[in-house]
Amino acid sequence: MIPQTLKGFRDFLPDTMAPRQQMIRTIEDAFARHGFLPLQTPALEYLETLLGKYGAEGDKLLYRFEDNGGRSVALRYDLTVPLARLVAQHRAEIVLPFRRFHIAPVWRAEKPQRGRFREFLQCDADICGVDSPMADAEVLVTGLATLRALGVSGARLHLNHRDVLFGMLDVLGMTEKTKQIICIRAIDKLDKIGQDGVVAEIVREAEIEASQASEIVRAFAGGGGIEPIAAVAAGKGHAALDTALLRLQAVVDLVAAAGLGEQVVIDRSIARGLDYYTGIIYETRLTDPKVASIGAVMSGGRYDGLIGLFGKEQIAAVGISIGLDRLLAALQELGLLAQGLAQVPIYVMPLDASVAGPALALATELRAAGLRVELDLAGGRIGKQFERAGKRGSKIALVVGSDELAAGVVQVKDLASGEQAKVARAELIDDLRRRLA
RNA sequence: GUGGAUGUAGCUCAGCUGGUAGAGCGCGGGAUUGUGGAUCCCGAUGUCGUGGGUUCAAAACCCACCAUCCACCCCA
């Protein structure tokens, strides 16, 4: 058979896996530093657990099948719904507020394209049990600090609130729920298809007058910030909208107090498709135009109703999700990916079979000292061994031959400069540490 | 799921209006049996995405299918 991967699924060779692994570690460290604890759930869930949580579109994208025992199951579509299930199921063992992080693959049967895969890694941090601006701000600060730790500088978080979207539409005279959703979907595309495009879509899909559609679009278009929303809300006495405004402002103030205010903007055109969001919602985009089409790299929101679907108790929750694969693809395109991670710095070369034992002993000693060491196993001419060491990208080659063995030394060659020195075995580890520093 | 583009060596691609394949890079060997990268020499690759059709003759033209990429929908 022809070796191949499934559409939308990928292999990771060491050149990309090494930086990927490093990014994962950086994210784990950052999440842990923000007081989140690790957790894991199964890749497979009962179909019923996942169905109906993401909207009609989401349901269609579930990988679903019958297992060997005839159970209807599905691969998880995100990490949020499994978390909600877990919290409800283990309610007795969990102390609220509950903070956890979860880094794991999810599966969506979408048509793959740039920055979109059928299997991809999500990195989530969530807080369950608190509904407050402080909790909202905490996950935003966690996400932004994590991006910073990854070396991502040009990222901006667009913040909105479900009740701003629905409240503004109410106030503008668009009160029918299904038409509101059509409007929100269209408004989400403002930066993509422009005001005229959005007006056209609303007129077509919601079957309303062009004048009303224009009025709505004008209210959502233009610069971000709190003022345009406040202007629409002013004097209308829409309680939910007024509350949402206060909430947004409080969250922004808190993020600013943490020193990350520059990276957050209130953007009333941001919508999120997933049905379970109830409060603030956000998307993070990279500001470099070269990777703008790659889409959102860090998103999330508040989902106060979701856990309650799995148990009797309503538990508030808010979370953020980093799309590591998109971020990786973007960093790769921008040339910001760490180089040289897929290389083993020290290459030990046994010159012939008679020094195999001493060479392995040397490698073992260095490895025990915490150095990363590859031992040449293919043998052959010394020139071949150097060639392999060079191709590997190793920094230092250690020559172990019978002469060196007899003299109690090792030839240490710097592969970049070509410079070579005899170093006594006793001083070798210190010497190597100095060279690699 | 809808629309568009593209499929030739491991990779990037060339191949004119049809005459059964090429380059660069990479890979293997050698020049150099205890010293890599540069240079030079030699070498191996391929059912030209798959299947059918038109033709004396198809990588090229036609049809179908598959795959990849892009856009839409939706999203990380």
Side-chain angles (χ1 to χ4, degrees), chain A residues 51-248:
Chain A
L51 265 187
K53 310 301 189 298
Y54 308 106
E57 292 298 322
D59 284 352
K60 274 190 247 166
L61 300 178
L62 287 173
Y63 269 101
R64 46 198 281 189
F65 53 94
E66 285 209 342
D67 73 3
N68 295 350
R71 284 171 282 261
S72 289
V73 300
L75 284 164
R76 63 173 167 237
Y77 177 92
D78 68 1
L79 302 177
T80 306
V81 171
L83 169 68
R85 192 222 81 221
L86 175 141
V87 169
Q89 185 175 334
H90 298 272
R91 180 62 191 92
E93 305 153 60
I94 286 171
V95 179
L96 299 180
F98 179 62
R99 294 166 170 248
R100 67 88 233 224
F101 75 86
H102 190 181
I103 298 176
V106 302
W107 294 270
R108 298 181 187 179
E110 292 192 89
K111 194 156 178 171
Q113 55 182 278
R114 186 185 199 207
R116 174 177 302 187
F117 313 100
R118 288 186 168 173
E119 177 183 57
F120 61 96
L121 204 69
Q122 284 199 329
C123 310
D124 282 30
D126 293 78
I127 301 174
C128 305
V130 189
D131 174 13
S132 76
M134 187 99 175
D136 295 344
E138 180 82 325
V139 293
L140 296 186
V141 164
T142 300
L144 289 170
T146 303
L147 288 185
R148 190 163 284 189
L150 287 168
V152 179
S153 49
R156 181 167 291 119
L157 195 145
H158 297 250
L159 187 61
N160 199 6
H161 195 293
R162 279 296 242 232
D163 289 343
V164 164
L165 289 165
F166 289 110
M168 278 179 67
L169 288 170
D170 284 345
V171 165
L172 291 164
M174 165 62 64
T175 52
E176 200 181 318
K177 189 84 178 175
T178 54
K179 291 191 176 178
Q180 285 186 332
I181 288 169
I182 290 167
C183 289
I184 290 168
R185 282 216 181 112
I187 288 162
D188 194 33
K189 295 178 205 161
L190 258 173
D191 58 338
K192 242 181 190 173
I193 61 177
Q195 290 194 39
D196 295 345
V198 175
V199 169
E201 181 167 329
I202 291 175
V203 167
R204 179 160 32 87
E205 302 287 331
E207 295 171 340
I208 61 167
E209 295 297 319
S211 59
Q212 193 188 359
S214 299
E215 193 197 347
I216 289 168
V217 172
R218 269 200 307 277
F220 282 93
I226 203 109
E227 298 79 10
I229 309 171
V232 173
K236 298 296 196 307
H238 192 293
L241 177 54
D242 293 341
T243 305
L245 267 178
L246 289 173
R247 180 64 165 257
L248 275 180

Side-chain angles (χ1 to χ4, degrees), chain A residues 206-324:
Chain A
E207 295 171 340
I208 61 167
E209 295 297 319
S211 59
Q212 193 188 359
S214 299
E215 193 197 347
I216 289 168
V217 172
R218 269 200 307 277
F220 282 93
I226 203 109
E227 298 79 10
I229 309 171
V232 173
K236 298 296 196 307
H238 192 293
L241 177 54
D242 293 341
T243 305
L245 267 178
L246 289 173
R247 180 64 165 257
L248 275 180
Q249 189 60 59
V251 172
V252 167
D253 289 347
L254 284 168
V255 173
L260 296 167
E262 302 247 313
Q263 286 182 71
V264 179
V265 293
I266 290 175
D267 182 343
R268 63 196 180 287
S269 73
I270 289 292
R272 309 242 66 226
L274 301 178
D275 278 10
Y276 53 62
Y277 289 121
T278 55
I280 64 162
I281 48 179
Y282 33 87
E283 283 182 9
T284 311
R285 309 207 192 112
L286 298 175
T287 49
D288 193 312
K290 270 185 290 197
V291 290
S293 75
I294 230 160
V297 296
M298 181 172 83
S299 307
R302 176 163 285 283
Y303 48 98
D304 290 344
L306 188 57
I307 299 171
L309 295 179
F310 294 103
K312 288 180 181 164
E313 195 179 355
Q314 292 296 331
I315 296 175
V318 63
I320 197 158
S321 180
I322 297 176
L324 182 122

Side-chain angles (χ1 to χ4, degrees), chain A residues 301-351:
Chain A
R302 176 163 285 283
Y303 48 98
D304 290 344
L306 188 57
I307 299 171
L309 295 179
F310 294 103
K312 288 180 181 164
E313 195 179 355
Q314 292 296 331
I315 296 175
V318 63
I320 197 158
S321 180
I322 297 176
L324 182 122
D325 289 286
R326 279 189 178 177
L327 210 46
L328 181 75
L331 291 178
Q332 197 160 25
E333 281 188 43
L334 295 174
L336 295 175
L337 221 54
Q339 299 293 312
L341 292 173
Q343 284 140 15
V344 181
I346 298 172
Y347 199 86
V348 173
M349 306 183 348
L351 284 194

Side-chain angles (χ1 to χ4, degrees), chain A residues 377-422:
Chain A
L377 301 174
R381 280 186 12 233
I382 186 169
K384 277 288 156 209
Q385 295 201 30
F386 271 115
E387 198 178 319
R388 280 195 290 271
K391 272 180 196 157
R392 284 279 196 282
S394 293
K395 294 193 164 42
I396 291 166
L398 300 181
V399 180
V400 181
S402 40
D403 298 351
E404 287 80 3
L405 211 56
V409 300
V410 173
Q411 297 273 8
V412 178
K413 179 159 180 173
D414 183 311
L415 288 165
S417 68
E419 166 198 348
Q420 186 167 328
K422 281 183 191 161

